[in-house]
Amino acid sequence: AVLGTSTTGMRAKDVCLALDIEPLHKNVEGTRAKLKRLVNRNLVTESETGIFTLAPKRT
């Protein structure tokens, strides 16, 4: 629920830090790729380039 606690969205590096993953380039890029996949599944939105937020719940 890392993205759920953010009101403005998070960058991949911030997600790594919140999940206690060392923010090395390879970890940040891997996290970014996973977030992009979640965008494709409509679970996460990317309002601005590199800023990820949870998608609104569907009813």
Side-chain angles (χ1 to χ4, degrees):
V2 173
L3 289 174
T5 59
S6 175
T7 56
T8 59
M10 297 179 77
R11 295 193 172 276
K13 183 176 182 178
D14 298 327
V15 173
C16 285
L17 292 170
L19 295 174
D20 203 26
I21 299 170
E22 194 171 359
L24 299 174
H25 180 72
K26 66 178 184 174
N27 295 339
V28 173
E29 289 303 317
T31 300
R32 182 176 289 112
K34 291 173 186 172
L35 288 166
K36 292 276 190 180
R37 275 184 249 143
L38 292 174
V39 169
N40 289 335
R41 294 179 181 175
N42 296 319
L43 298 172
V44 172
T45 60
E46 189 177 11
S47 54
E48 297 175 37
T49 304
I51 306 291
F52 299 93
T53 57
L54 280 179
K57 292 188 179 191
R58 291 182 252 166
T59 57

